[in-house]
Amino acid sequence: MSTVPPADAPSPEDLTPVFEVTDVRRDGDRVLYVGYPREPPATVESELAPLFYEQGFEMHLQARGGSPSGEYAIVASERSIGIDGIPWKNVALALATILTTLYAGTVWYHIDVAANPLHALQAWPFSLAILTILGVHEFGHYITSRIHRVDASLPYFIPIPPPFGTAGAIIRMHGRMPSRKALLDIGASGPLAGIVATVVVTVIGLSLDPITVPRSIATSDAARIEFAEPLLLRGLAWLTGQPLSYADPTRQLHPVVFAGWLGMLVTFLNLLPVGQLDGGHVMRALLGRRQETVAAAIPAVLFGFAGILLLRGDVSIEAGIWIVWGVFTGVLAFFGPAVPMREEPLDRKRQAIGLVTFVVGALCFMPVPFRIVV
């Protein structure tokens, strides 16, 4: 052997059952174990990946191009789950989303910013509510990822124009999931943490006084948007004894309630059991490889649902959301879910957590999230 692997890395003897090591080399920060597989390459990776993971390394097996003897190399690199430097992209996107949600809030507060753009600051409760829901959701993923020592980025917020001001937020995970247990914990932690924040925000919004809509707007014949009421929103209104609508058209629910509504919509969409969505992670952890069968059916279900709405004739524009998500989930299903290194079934506790997570999604479901009334 020309090089001895680091003390904290697997030894060549540890690999012997599935990989015959003939040489160990350094390649910058990586360690290369050169040799010959004793099993098919896929089996070598599935057998050795957990060993390297437990000792703080990521690994992959690659054929050594140009080698007449059919040599392979196991390429091992130390895992890093820390944050290097200031995450400027995350900060910039967060600041941009603050601006776009403030601007979106001016629509719901009926604030005129034409004369003075600083008036948009009056919409801070809406912006804070949205960012809190999204932030709690993503940091649920982030913290659980750190617990399982899976490398994850800080949240990337996604700014868009009104009426929402944001398309949500994401975190990026690098490397492979160590187990179905970790996949379940990481996948479910975001929606469960986010729904707690959504409930708190919604209850606060329902307790706030309704805002006054200018009569010229309230009595206008212009098109308006009507939002659906998911079971969770109706339940919270019932528990708090607060109305979800008013007979007086100049009275409107506080925009913080709309922030809670948006949190419910994001939760449901995230829990569609396909691909890299949270629901895809949870379903993959629950069902193992059988999850792919469920995922393949989701786009067809969404397209079918859009077709039913189109046949009704009065929701043609609103059905577009399910057509878009049918295409999106079709792409996600094609690329597939995260694949854990270990396929041990979940214990009953985590099975229950997975089922509760999907119940939360069902409580947030809206057949037609909004409709445009002319």
Side-chain angles (χ1 to χ4, degrees), residues 93-117:
L93 287 172
L95 292 175
T97 306
I98 291 173
L99 295 177
T100 55
T101 51
L102 282 172
Y103 184 47
T106 64
V107 175
W108 304 110
Y109 282 95
H110 304 284
I111 298 172
D112 183 8
V113 293
N116 187 350

Side-chain angles (χ1 to χ4, degrees), residues 273-291:
V274 59
Q276 298 288 327
L277 294 176
D278 296 341
H281 292 324
V282 175
M283 188 64 76
R284 178 62 175 79
L286 288 172
L287 299 183
R289 293 183 176 89
R290 291 175 295 167
Q291 182 267 350

Side-chain angles (χ1 to χ4, degrees), residues 315-335:
V315 287
S316 57
I317 297 176
E318 295 81 351
I321 186 172
W322 301 122
I323 295 174
V324 170
W325 272 83
V327 173
F328 182 54
T329 54
V331 173
L332 292 178
F334 175 79
F335 286 103

Side-chain angles (χ1 to χ4, degrees), residues 52-369:
F52 278 89
Y53 181 88
E54 289 170 358
Q55 296 188 219
F57 289 80
E58 295 282 356
M59 63 80 66
H60 68 274
L61 183 66
Q62 67 180 29
R64 291 179 61 78
S67 172
S69 58
E71 279 186 329
Y72 277 74
I74 292 175
V75 181
S77 55
E78 289 193 54
R79 289 189 297 115
S80 172
I81 59 172
I83 299 171
D84 297 326
I86 299 175
W88 291 113
K89 186 180 294 185
N90 303 79
V91 172
L93 287 172
L95 292 175
T97 306
I98 291 173
L99 295 177
T100 55
T101 51
L102 282 172
Y103 184 47
T106 64
V107 175
W108 304 110
Y109 282 95
H110 304 284
I111 298 172
D112 183 8
V113 293
N116 187 350
L118 291 180
H119 287 169
L121 296 176
Q122 298 173 29
W124 69 265
F126 174 81
S127 177
L128 178 62
I130 288 286
L131 293 173
T132 297
I133 291 171
L134 297 179
V136 169
H137 179 121
E138 297 303 331
F139 273 103
H141 289 312
Y142 179 78
I143 293 171
T144 313
S145 297
R146 296 297 297 268
I147 291 173
H148 286 284
R149 297 190 61 79
V150 174
D151 187 14
S153 71
L154 289 171
Y156 293 91
F157 290 90
I158 306 172
I160 61 172
F164 299 147
T166 178
I170 61 172
I171 65 172
R172 296 178 60 190
M173 287 183 285
H174 310 280
R176 298 175 62 183
M177 287 286 175
S179 63
R180 284 167 65 174
K181 171 185 171 181
L183 188 58
L184 185 284
D185 290 353
I186 294 171
S189 59
L192 293 180
I195 204 63
V196 171
T198 297
V199 168
V200 172
V201 163
T202 304
V203 169
I204 292 174
L206 289 169
S207 69
L208 296 174
D209 293 333
I211 65 170
T212 300
V213 180
R215 184 165 295 277
S216 59
I217 296 176
T219 59
S220 171
D221 293 331
R224 67 182 188 279
I225 302 176
E226 290 186 353
F227 295 94
E229 300 168 357
L231 288 176
L232 180 57
L233 179 57
R234 293 182 182 183
L236 293 176
W238 178 76
L239 287 172
T240 58
Q242 298 295 325
L244 290 176
S245 62
Y246 298 92
D248 183 353
T250 63
R251 288 163 61 85
Q252 177 181 294
L253 285 171
H254 197 280
V256 169
V257 179
F258 174 64
W261 177 92
L262 185 57
M264 296 176 199
L265 177 62
V266 169
T267 297
F268 170 74
L269 294 175
N270 255 315
L271 284 175
L272 290 172
V274 59
Q276 298 288 327
L277 294 176
D278 296 341
H281 292 324
V282 175
M283 188 64 76
R284 178 62 175 79
L286 288 172
L287 299 183
R289 293 183 176 89
R290 291 175 295 167
Q291 182 267 350
E292 295 179 8
T293 302
V294 176
I298 296 301
V301 170
L302 296 180
F303 284 129
F305 189 62
I308 292 172
L309 295 179
L310 290 171
L311 288 174
R312 289 179 53 182
D314 59 339
V315 287
S316 57
I317 297 176
E318 295 81 351
I321 186 172
W322 301 122
I323 295 174
V324 170
W325 272 83
V327 173
F328 182 54
T329 54
V331 173
L332 292 178
F334 175 79
F335 286 103
V339 178
M341 289 185 280
R342 291 193 182 90
E343 289 286 356
E344 294 93 338
L346 300 176
D347 56 41
R348 292 188 179 274
K349 174 185 174 182
R350 282 186 167 78
Q351 290 175 355
I353 291 173
L355 293 176
V356 167
T357 303
F358 283 119
V359 169
V360 166
L363 292 175
C364 296
F365 173 62
M366 294 167 270
V368 182

